[in-house]
Amino acid sequence: MVVNLSRYIEWPAEAFPRTGAPLQICSVGRGPFAAALEQYQGKTVLGHPLSLRRLATGDEPSECNVLVVSGIEKRYLAGVLELARRRGVLTVGDIPDFARFGGIIGLVENEGRVRFEINLKAAQQSRVKISSQLLKLAKLTREGDQ
Amino acid sequence: MSPLRVSFVRNLPLKRKLMLIIMLCCCASLLAASIFFLTRDAKGLYRVQREDLVSLAEIIGANSASALVFDDPESAQRTIAPLASKRSILAVYVLTSEGQIMARHVAPEAGNAELPLERLGASPSPAAVLAAVEAIRKTAEKNSAVSGFDCLVQPVYFDYERVGTVVIHADTELFRKNLRWTATVTLLFMLVTVIAAYFFSAKLQQMISRPLLDLLSSMKDVSASKNYAIRVAKPSDDEIGLLYDGFNEMLSEIEERNQILRQRQAHLQQLAHYDPLTRLPNRTLFYDRLAQALYQAERSRQALSVIFIDLDHFKDINDTLGHRTGDLLLIEVASRLSTVVRSCDTVARLGGDEFTIFTQNVVNAENAAIVAAKLNRLFAKPFQLGESEIYVTASIGVTLFPHDGKTVDELLMNADIAMYHAKACGKNVYKMFDRKMNEHATERVTLLSDLRLALERDEFVLHYQPKVDLLTGNVTSVEALVRWMHPRLGMLAPDKFIRLSEESGFIVELTDWVLRTACSQAKKWQEQNLGSVRVAVNLSPYHFQRQDVKEAILSVLEATGLEPALLEIEITESALMQNDEYTCALFRELRELGMTISVDDFGTGYSSLSYLHRFPINTLKIDRTFILNMMKSTEDQAIVTAIIAMAKSLNMQIVAEGVETVDQLEKLKDQGCHEIQGFLVSRPVAAESVTQFFTPGNHLHQHTDPAQPEPPQGASPATRP
């Protein structure tokens, strides 16, 4: 899911200093969602080889393009997101109201299917562009929305 | 193409042929163009439809890729929802790569339930769906520009990964409708163009066919009317123009030739029907006209007279004055004859000096006689022929239709017979035909055939009549006179057959026989010591037309062995005058050989006395008619005196013919005539009898003695052969 999502994302130019530079997907927390990433190890996304890395809570998500947040406590969430926002990292999480908390894409389970909540403001702040194709599937959310 | 069809096309009229060619070219190019444009149009339509569907599928694919990736059927359904308004789209499916139908749009039209994916039911198994999609893909490959593009299977890729499939079913009806419409329009256009081309070609072909057909009709006109003066007006300066020129030239040529032909025909007609000399109708035309006239006369029961005219002594005139003068005379006679007849009558020249006339509407025989008498009178005036003026008479025979004959030949033959009778009756008269004349004519024909046999049958004999010197009473010579012992008619005098022999050419053989017999007789007398008496033989004028007279005489002399001095040649005055250079030379030669030359019947011909001395003549024999009339007519007496005087001055011997009385003898003696011949001395007698006169002595003595008169024997005096 995360890999597919990253295909609809346009990162700032400096995120990939050279062609063929790896797309770094980092994960925080121990949720099932993060664990599912393992199967994508070695695949290529939009010409970038995938590179998976696990981070501990509070680690600088340096060189990460995507930060998957799964199964961490809500109290750490703001900090993680803050770090990611500064580094221009796409944040994806399956924590409820993830987007409202400042994450960029939140995954929500609805009628057995995964749906998206996207925080466009957070995306702008992280300088990542989200494809309209993805946007039309998603529910747009703002911080503080109920 | 079969030969039959080729000949069918070949035999088409020119118009149809030209139109056929134009139409064929037109239709072929139209068809080619139409097929080209129709194909192009169909391909274009097909391509557009295909591109439309492909781009549609791509758009759908692109727009539903995310929905596929993130398994969002609603979103996918939204993507294809706008297609509901597109009527040409029957159905659109968005399928996941696993075969799950993510979104579907089916137009609510009947029959769409038959679509392959619809037949699978509401919730098909993924495997069945994939199989159906594969089938659809295969069908799509078979789509063409003709059937239209009706389905499309378009895979959806996302980041090089196949994420699903878009299946589109399109309605080809519109495509086909478009194609049909284009085809219909094209066909209509073709039809209109072909019709237009038909009318156009009908006009266009006239450019070529019209002048040719005009020429054809002119040609038909010409051959139907035979009017070669027709000319055609040239329509253009191309090959057809040249054809017209050629046609005109040919017509001119034909016209010219026709004209020449007509002239020649007219000339031939003239030659065939008219006598070139007198310009009178000739025998052919006369016969033709007479036959017509007879036919009409028979129908209208009218009489018709045929008149035969023969000039008297024409031959003598020809001989003495030349053929040129003879021709002039004929022309003059022709013009005189023409003055007498009416316009409905015909004057013709049958040939020689024979003219014929037929007059229609003759009331009776007297009427015809009046015409004949009138014709006789035409000859009363002299004819002026160049320098000379001569009197010519004509003998005329007249026949009447239907009395004397019914046919042309019969009438002409009888007229001829009547004419001969007129001649026999002293000439310069006319005779109406009489049936009795026919008998004479028949006799003539029989006589002619007998004559040819007479020599073979040895029926001719010679009688001899002595000439006696008036001074001595001695016989100087005997004249050989031919007699014909005809087996049926008895002895015939020369006047019965000489003219016939002359006309038939038999005279040459006869004269030859006479010459031979007379010479051998003279030789015989000499050998029997009965005396050397000259024998005189008459040469016919016809004989002189032969160039070998001298040779003939010499060969006889050689054969008989008679000395030339014992042969005397007697000729008539007219024979003397004809061909006078030749005659003169001939006589000189004969005389040099020792023969004696006498001129017989002197005084009756036309000889100019001034010419006489030019001829080497020994003797002149005064014609019997002068002697006969001498005692009654002072004019004849004067002529005799004059002839004797002239002959003496020219040193010629004078013989008086036909002396019958002592009075005549005395008179002639007084005049100084040298010799006499006649019944007074002896009539012509057989060879044995004449020898009694050969003894020297005065054979005149007996006659001067009244006691022993010689009674004239026979009704008519003997004449020369």
Side-chain angles (χ1 to χ4, degrees):
Chain A
M1 176 64 74
V2 175
V3 176
N4 281 340
L5 278 175
S6 56
R7 284 175 173 146
Y8 288 98
I9 307 299
E10 203 180 307
W11 279 270
E14 69 267 19
F16 300 103
R18 56 188 167 85
T19 50
L23 176 74
Q24 191 94 270
I25 300 180
C26 307
S27 59
V28 175
R30 303 210 171 271
F33 186 56
L37 272 173
E38 292 302 320
Q39 59 180 308
Y40 292 100
Q41 180 71 49
K43 294 219 169 168
T44 307
V45 173
L46 300 173
H48 304 286
L50 279 185
S51 165
L52 300 175
R53 191 153 61 105
R54 294 194 72 91
L55 294 178
T57 316
D59 282 355
E60 279 286 327
S62 58
E63 295 177 13
C64 287
N65 301 106
V66 180
L67 179 65
V68 178
V69 181
S70 178
I72 65 163
E73 290 176 39
K74 276 191 180 176
R75 52 190 174 119
Y76 302 116
L77 185 59
V80 170
L81 291 177
E82 187 54 42
L83 283 175
R85 188 176 298 165
R86 273 189 266 161
R87 296 239 172 223
V89 177
L90 174 73
T91 52
V92 181
D94 58 354
I95 298 158
D97 297 328
F98 179 72
R100 269 202 293 150
F101 287 114
I104 297 172
I105 300 173
L107 304 175
V108 185
E109 176 100 4
N110 186 17
E111 294 169 7
R113 282 194 170 90
V114 179
R115 290 284 173 268
F116 312 108
E117 286 178 347
I118 291 173
N119 186 334
L120 276 178
K121 198 176 173 193
Q124 279 168 9
Q125 283 168 354
S126 297
R127 288 177 290 130
V128 290
K129 284 182 187 159
I130 300 168
S131 163
S132 63
Q133 292 292 326
L134 191 62
L135 287 176
K136 73 179 177 184
L137 297 178
K139 184 184 172 195
L140 298 182
T141 309
R142 289 182 196 184
E143 277 169 77
D145 278 2
Q146 286 300 311
Chain B
M1 255 198 280
S2 68
L4 186 73
R5 220 169 286 169
V6 169
S7 79
F8 168 74
V9 172
R10 271 196 198 140
N11 294 337
L12 273 180
L14 192 61
K15 267 185 181 174
R16 299 264 163 271
K17 226 181 270 177
L18 283 170
M19 278 182 74
L20 191 69
I21 291 168
I22 296 173
M23 291 300 289
L24 273 177
C25 291
C26 182
C27 287
S29 51
L30 261 178
L31 199 65
S34 299
I35 288 171
F36 173 74
F37 285 113
L38 199 59
T39 313
R40 212 180 70 146
D41 210 28
K43 275 187 179 165
L45 276 173
Y46 177 76
R47 200 171 58 239
V48 165
Q49 195 197 20
R50 193 174 188 283
E51 280 167 6
D52 275 358
L53 284 185
V54 169
S55 61
L56 192 65
E58 277 172 351
I59 290 166
I60 290 167
N63 283 315
S64 58
S66 56
L68 281 167
V69 168
F70 298 108
D71 189 24
D72 190 344
E74 285 165 26
S75 175
Q77 195 65 45
R78 273 202 308 276
T79 309
I80 60 170
L83 293 177
S85 64
K86 198 159 166 73
R87 289 182 58 196
S88 65
I89 302 299
L90 291 178
V92 179
Y93 303 90
V94 179
L95 307 171
T96 63
S97 48
E98 290 80 25
Q100 212 182 340
I101 297 175
M102 183 70 93
R104 92 165 68 196
H105 161 73
V106 180
E109 274 135 39
N112 289 348
E114 292 303 308
L115 290 170
L117 282 170
E118 290 305 300
R119 267 185 293 179
L120 294 174
S123 49
S125 72
V129 169
L130 286 177
V133 168
E134 184 59 22
I136 292 166
R137 197 183 61 76
K138 280 183 179 156
T139 315
E141 282 172 0
K142 290 177 190 161
N143 288 332
S144 70
V146 179
S147 64
F149 200 81
D150 64 345
C151 52
L152 177 70
V153 175
Q154 179 81 18
V156 181
Y157 288 96
F158 180 66
D159 192 22
Y160 308 113
E161 221 172 284
R162 182 167 178 169
V163 295
T165 309
V166 176
V167 176
I168 301 177
H169 287 281
D171 188 3
T172 56
E173 185 51 40
L174 191 64
F175 168 79
R176 287 205 299 267
K177 219 166 108 186
N178 272 340
L179 197 58
R180 272 203 303 273
W181 191 82
T182 311
T184 312
V185 167
T186 309
L187 277 176
L188 274 174
F189 176 75
M190 250 181 85
L191 195 69
V192 169
T193 316
V194 164
I195 290 168
Y198 177 84
F199 288 110
F200 189 58
S201 70
K203 282 276 167 204
L204 205 63
Q205 56 85 20
Q206 286 186 347
M207 270 175 68
I208 291 168
S209 69
R210 170 66 60 79
L212 287 177
L213 292 176
D214 285 351
L215 188 62
L216 184 68
S217 89
S218 300
M219 197 184 74
K220 280 181 179 163
D221 281 352
V222 168
S223 58
S225 66
K226 305 279 178 225
N227 177 7
Y228 299 105
I230 291 175
R231 291 289 178 276
V232 286
K234 187 162 121 174
S236 54
D237 278 328
D238 57 357
E239 288 89 338
I240 292 174
L242 290 178
L243 197 62
Y244 271 65
D245 285 344
F247 183 68
N248 280 340
E249 274 167 35
M250 254 155 64
L251 282 180
S252 305
E253 185 75 8
I254 291 171
E255 198 184 14
E256 202 174 305
R257 286 190 189 188
N258 250 7
Q259 207 173 348
I260 292 170
L261 204 65
R262 262 199 292 276
Q263 282 169 357
R264 291 203 181 147
Q265 270 175 343
H267 186 62
L268 278 179
Q269 187 79 1
Q270 181 75 23
L271 277 184
H273 292 117
Y274 290 88
D275 170 40
L277 180 67
T278 59
R279 305 210 176 273
L280 288 180
N282 66 4
R283 184 184 295 268
T284 315
L285 185 58
F286 180 78
Y287 273 40
D288 195 51
R289 284 197 189 164
L290 182 55
Q292 274 182 12
L294 288 182
Y295 178 72
Q296 281 172 6
E298 189 158 25
R299 276 166 54 121
S300 55
R301 300 185 175 284
Q302 282 175 340
L304 189 150
S305 75
V306 177
I307 300 170
F308 205 105
I309 302 159
D310 190 280
L311 301 186
D312 298 329
H313 301 297
F314 177 71
K315 201 183 151 19
D316 295 338
I317 292 162
N318 240 351
D319 292 345
T320 53
L321 301 177
H323 290 283
R324 170 107 192 90
T325 312
D327 286 348
L328 286 175
L329 175 64
L330 289 174
I331 293 168
E332 189 59 31
V333 168
S335 77
R336 279 199 199 178
L337 290 179
S338 303
T339 60
V340 174
V341 298
R342 296 165 297 178
S343 60
C344 64
D345 304 334
T346 296
V347 181
R349 179 176 171 225
L350 293 196
D353 58 338
E354 294 175 338
F355 293 87
T356 47
I357 299 175
F358 74 79
T359 59
Q360 289 174 290
N361 252 329
V362 178
V363 180
N364 49 35
E366 283 75 38
N367 224 318
I370 288 168
V371 175
K374 221 193 251 176
L375 288 170
N376 263 139
R377 280 202 296 280
L378 283 179
F379 295 88
K381 278 190 283 178
F383 289 87
Q384 184 70 45
L385 306 175
E387 300 282 296
S388 40
E389 188 182 56
I390 61 167
Y391 283 92
V392 176
T393 57
S395 300
I396 297 167
V398 183
T399 42
L400 284 174
F401 170 86
H403 183 265
D404 299 330
K406 300 263 196 238
T407 65
V408 172
D409 288 332
E410 206 180 345
L411 284 166
L412 270 174
M413 196 180 76
N414 290 342
D416 192 24
I417 290 165
M419 185 275 291
Y420 266 100
H421 275 266
K423 271 216 190 313
C425 291
K427 303 175 178 173
N428 197 18
V429 289
Y430 72 88
K431 283 284 175 202
M432 303 298 285
F433 176 73
D434 189 330
R435 291 271 163 210
K436 281 182 209 145
M437 291 177 179
N438 233 334
E439 289 157 24
H440 292 289
T442 317
E443 188 184 310
R444 225 173 95 84
V445 175
T446 321
L447 218 55
L448 190 63
S449 60
D450 286 349
L451 198 59
R452 295 183 194 283
L453 293 169
L455 261 188
E456 291 169 34
R457 292 176 181 168
D458 202 18
E459 289 173 357
F460 292 110
V461 290
L462 282 187
H463 282 190
Y464 301 88
Q465 191 175 29
K467 289 180 227 170
V468 179
D469 192 309
L470 273 180
L471 286 176
T472 62
N474 287 337
V475 169
T476 53
S477 68
V478 290
E479 184 181 358
L481 296 160
V482 69
R483 295 287 181 271
W484 182 7
M485 302 303 289
H486 194 277
R488 188 163 41 82
L489 301 170
M491 195 177 77
L492 297 178
D495 62 328
K496 296 276 189 222
F497 61 89
I498 288 299
R499 190 184 161 102
L500 204 59
S501 332
E502 284 179 344
E503 283 169 5
S504 63
F506 179 70
I507 190 70
V508 176
E509 288 169 70
L510 185 59
T511 310
D512 211 47
W513 181 86
V514 170
L515 193 64
R516 197 171 297 274
T517 312
C519 286
S520 67
Q521 185 61 61
K523 183 70 186 169
K524 221 176 275 172
W525 285 328
Q526 206 177 11
E527 282 166 354
Q528 287 166 0
N529 287 321
L530 291 171
S532 296
V533 181
R534 255 197 347 256
V535 66
V537 175
N538 293 284
L539 285 193
S540 157
Y542 286 85
H543 217 89
F544 270 78
Q545 282 161 14
R546 288 169 45 159
Q547 297 288 308
D548 59 345
V549 184
K550 184 186 157 197
E551 286 71 28
I553 293 169
L554 287 181
S555 87
V556 168
L557 286 178
E558 199 178 339
T560 55
L562 188 73
E563 303 153 30
L566 291 183
L567 180 62
E568 182 175 340
I569 301 294
E570 290 194 11
I571 55 155
T572 58
E573 209 178 341
S574 54
L576 185 72
M577 298 307 290
Q578 86 184 34
N579 206 356
D580 59 356
E581 286 299 321
Y582 166 72
T583 314
C584 200
L586 175 72
F587 285 172
R588 192 155 288 129
E589 286 172 42
L590 292 180
R591 217 180 127 168
E592 276 165 13
L593 287 166
M595 292 175 219
T596 310
I597 312 292
S598 305
V599 177
D600 209 0
D601 300 346
F602 187 78
T604 54
Y606 293 86
S607 58
S608 166
L609 291 180
S610 59
Y611 279 10
L612 215 54
H613 72 277
R614 285 175 43 193
F615 291 98
I617 296 162
N618 300 92
T619 311
L620 287 184
K621 295 175 79 176
I622 304 168
D623 192 73
R624 71 183 63 255
T625 48
F626 298 113
I627 308 300
L628 191 68
N629 297 329
M630 189 170 65
M631 307 310 284
K632 293 175 261 174
S633 147
T634 49
E635 285 89 354
D636 284 349
Q637 170 69 58
I639 288 170
V640 171
T641 311
I643 292 173
I644 292 171
M646 180 197 68
K648 275 186 166 171
S649 67
L650 288 173
N651 270 333
M652 288 177 184
Q653 199 73 10
I654 289 290
V655 179
E657 289 182 273
V659 179
E660 291 176 9
T661 63
V662 179
D663 289 346
Q664 288 166 347
L665 171 74
E666 295 301 332
K667 195 86 182 175
L668 288 166
K669 217 177 195 171
D670 291 347
Q671 298 283 334
C673 181
H674 300 124
E675 296 169 44
I676 60 159
Q677 184 182 4
F679 282 8
L680 187 65
V681 180
S682 168
R683 60 191 172 84
V685 290
E688 312 84 59
S689 312
V690 82
T691 51
Q692 57 173 304
F693 296 102
F694 293 175
T695 52
N698 192 347
H699 294 290
L700 292 169
H701 186 256
Q702 51 188 316
H703 305 298
T704 51
D705 180 0
Q708 293 179 316
E710 164 81 10
Q713 307 234 335
S716 61
T719 53
R720 59 171 184 88

